[in-house]
Amino acid sequence: MGCECSKFALYYWTGQSGPIYEAQNPDEEKDEVSDLPAFREFTFEQLRIATSAFAVENIVSEHGEKAPNVVYKGKLENQRPVAIKRFNRSAWPDTRQFLEEARAVGQLRNNRLVNLLGCCCEGDERLLVADFIPNETLAKHLFHWDTQPMKWAMRLRVALYIAQALEYCTSVGRALYHVTGKGLALYHDLNAYRILFDEDGDPRLSCFALMKNSRGGKSYSTNLASPEYLRTGIITQESVIFSFGTLLLDLLSGKHIPPSHALDLIKDRNLQMLTDSCLEGQFSTDDGTELVRIASSCLQYEPERPDFKSLVAALYPLQKEAEVPSHVLMGISRDGETMSLSPLGEACLKTDLTAIHEILDTLGYKDDEGAATELSFQMWTDQMLETLNSKNKGDAAFKNKDFRAAIECYTKFIDVGTMVSPTVYAHRSLSYLMSDMPQEALNDAVQAQHKS
């Protein structure tokens, strides 16, 4: 099985891009992966060293030590960062079955997947080794975001890339079946926790769920969404497509909607109830309706659902801001990346006071005409008088090059928030620069430009 798999996987990986791109988007970047090592078997000792003896602080799985199968971050002897999944001891009692499945999945190589690099099977230990993906799961970014909700364009990109990943797996599995009578295992438990974002901010589908779930030697699945699985207990390709439909609704709503409830909302054509309020104004009604239509076709009760090739074709026309890199849409900074700055930002970065002065003067940053007049109408309160005094003291300190005092006075003025003064932001920006606080200076320079 391993040799046949390698031959047919190689056919899909080399020369031309995979069938997804050939059929749909010939100009798209090729999807073969050339810098990954071949699949290998590791010793338990190698993986113990890679994870610092499976240290608790290296656990990266969502539920920590309480998860039935724990994922650790590790580093191989060549310093390559990896994710290592350690199965519960009751899982995979059949050594041969585990190795066969791991080797088969390890033949897959695609930029839409978190690729499997190796495995370990010693005694009762069963472990999988994959590339480490640094930027959290879709569940984190979609349901538990800290700074900003995921943009509409990025949600559509996730839908497309995951459909492409599943189409790739399906294509290779179909080719293998024609030759060997056996295809690759179906994707188990497709959900927002199975999708991770790489260093470029691109979404990738975890390879771990291409392995059958096993508990006490018996295969099982926690994917209980599809009606036919509830009836038969068997995962089929149609079941995976049903799960993909629920994923589309997660992307649309920003929360996990139970499939039965989602179907009711779709039948009522209640797009507003389904849509994440954070997406207001980011997409047209036609695009939203089309995504709901695609999701609805995946969620049909009877297993007459579209295949992934047709889903990829349907999702392409919905892609927005295709020229914008994923890490920009996601707000993810990349190590060593050179930021594209405005002329003002470049001048701040270089601490070029002459250039900063010329830019500010060109933009019209002079004393805020009318500021004193506007404040004079409010000077019947001690607070407003104190605010004006803070600005005047700041101006005096700035002229005397007492930049620390200027920062303190201008901050008091800004924090009151009674009026907006681009000049104060510009003066405080220069004061920060002269006080060796470049990030604060850049933030104020942006505020000054924005509020002018």
Side-chain angles (χ1 to χ4, degrees):
M1 179 178 175
C3 294
E4 294 292 345
C5 182
S6 298
K7 290 177 183 178
F8 270 84
L10 189 64
Y11 170 80
Y12 280 91
W13 302 336
T14 57
Q16 306 297 322
S17 59
I20 295 172
Y21 296 113
E22 289 179 347
Q24 303 300 335
N25 194 354
D27 297 324
E28 188 78 21
E29 181 182 351
K30 302 303 181 185
D31 66 354
E32 66 267 16
V33 179
S34 59
D35 63 340
L36 285 177
F39 180 86
R40 58 179 283 201
E41 292 181 30
F42 294 88
T43 66
F44 182 74
E45 180 62 16
Q46 286 175 313
L47 300 186
R48 190 190 68 81
I49 294 172
T51 58
S52 301
F54 300 100
V56 173
E57 57 267 25
N58 286 331
I59 294 176
V60 293
S61 46
E62 297 284 348
H63 302 292
E65 287 183 286
K66 296 181 180 179
N69 306 307
V70 182
V71 180
Y72 298 83
K73 181 180 180 180
K75 191 171 285 187
L76 300 180
E77 62 272 13
N78 62 1
Q79 300 303 302
R80 188 184 194 103
V82 290
I84 299 172
K85 182 173 184 176
R86 188 181 189 183
F87 286 93
N88 183 287
R89 288 181 178 272
S90 64
W92 298 101
D94 188 332
T95 302
R96 181 174 173 275
Q97 182 191 16
F98 176 79
L99 287 173
E100 278 190 356
E101 290 207 20
R103 288 166 182 163
V105 174
Q107 300 303 313
L108 297 174
R109 289 291 183 266
N110 190 275
N111 279 333
R112 299 291 182 251
L113 292 175
V114 181
N115 295 282
L116 191 65
L117 305 180
C119 71
C120 172
C121 187
E122 288 186 15
D124 293 333
E125 294 288 351
R126 306 287 182 266
L127 303 100
L128 297 175
V129 182
D131 255 336
F132 180 74
I133 305 299
N135 286 311
E136 303 285 358
T137 65
L138 176 62
K140 168 70 173 178
H141 290 288
L142 193 60
F143 307 142
H144 310 297
W145 50 273
D146 295 323
T147 56
Q148 65 176 24
M150 185 178 291
K151 295 180 179 179
W152 172 252
M154 193 64 216
R155 298 186 195 205
L156 289 176
R157 191 171 297 180
V158 170
L160 175 63
Y161 281 22
I162 298 311
Q164 289 174 332
L166 291 166
E167 163 62 9
Y168 168 80
C169 295
T170 302
S171 298
V172 175
R174 189 184 303 119
L176 284 169
Y177 183 79
H178 287 322
V179 173
T180 67
K182 295 181 179 180
L184 291 175
L186 295 167
Y187 201 88
H188 293 258
D189 300 331
L190 177 62
N191 57 53
Y193 292 95
R194 301 294 190 184
I195 299 165
L196 301 99
F197 294 87
D198 64 19
E199 61 278 2
D200 294 321
D202 287 331
R204 294 194 180 206
L205 186 63
S206 170
C207 61
F208 290 152
L210 282 164
M211 300 276 291
K212 287 189 179 76
N213 288 313
S214 181
R215 180 181 293 160
K218 296 181 179 180
S219 295
Y220 77 100
S221 176
T222 59
N223 180 359
L224 303 178
S226 72
E228 61 272 14
Y229 178 81
L230 291 174
R231 291 196 304 267
T232 66
I234 298 173
I235 292 286
T236 64
Q237 187 64 24
E238 288 74 21
S239 301
V240 180
I241 292 167
F242 189 97
S243 295
F244 184 76
T246 65
L247 179 66
L248 292 181
L249 293 180
D250 290 351
L251 290 167
L252 181 63
S253 67
K255 53 184 176 290
H256 182 63
I257 300 175
S260 58
H261 184 46
L263 285 169
D264 291 338
L265 291 175
I266 287 175
K267 288 176 182 177
D268 295 338
R269 299 183 181 276
N270 197 334
L271 179 60
Q272 186 175 2
M273 287 289 292
L274 276 170
T275 304
D276 189 342
S277 59
C278 296
L279 296 174
E280 185 175 355
Q282 293 189 31
F283 64 96
S284 67
T285 300
D286 287 345
D287 284 354
T289 302
E290 177 62 10
L291 188 64
V292 171
R293 185 199 66 78
I294 296 170
S296 179
S297 69
C298 296
L299 294 170
Q300 297 300 315
Y301 277 114
E302 295 302 321
E304 295 178 0
R305 302 170 190 137
D307 58 21
F308 282 110
K309 184 175 183 178
S310 61
L311 287 171
V312 168
L315 288 165
Y316 260 118
L318 295 179
Q319 300 304 304
K320 308 298 181 186
E321 302 183 52
E323 73 286 353
V324 181
S326 294
H327 73 93
V328 174
L329 289 176
M330 293 288 291
I332 294 172
S333 61
R334 298 188 297 180
D335 293 340
E337 181 185 46
T338 302
M339 296 177 63
S340 178
L341 298 175
S342 66
L344 181 59
E346 291 284 359
C348 288
L349 192 63
K350 297 174 183 176
T351 323
D352 187 342
L353 298 185
T354 301
I356 292 171
H357 179 270
E358 290 175 354
I359 293 169
L360 295 179
D361 189 57
T362 301
L363 292 172
Y365 287 93
K366 303 184 185 299
D367 284 340
D368 298 304
E369 297 178 6
T373 305
E374 183 176 342
L375 282 173
S376 66
F377 287 104
Q378 303 177 30
M379 286 171 54
W380 60 84
T381 68
D382 292 340
Q383 182 184 13
M384 290 305 107
L385 183 58
E386 184 179 348
T387 300
L388 180 58
N389 287 337
S390 295
K391 180 180 182 297
N392 291 338
K393 288 179 181 178
D395 289 341
F398 182 77
K399 290 176 182 178
N400 293 327
K401 298 184 180 179
D402 185 356
F403 298 115
R404 290 287 180 178
I407 291 170
E408 182 179 350
C409 293
Y410 286 142
T411 300
K412 287 181 181 179
F413 175 81
I414 290 170
D415 287 347
V416 171
T418 303
M419 66 166 294
V420 175
S421 171
T423 301
V424 169
Y425 277 109
H427 284 183
R428 193 174 70 166
S429 174
L430 292 170
S431 300
Y432 276 135
L433 268 180
M434 299 307 296
S435 302
D436 196 26
M437 301 171 74
Q439 185 59 54
E440 291 82 354
L442 183 57
N443 292 340
D444 267 11
V446 172
Q447 287 293 327
Q449 194 167 8
H450 173 68
K451 297 181 184 300
S452 61

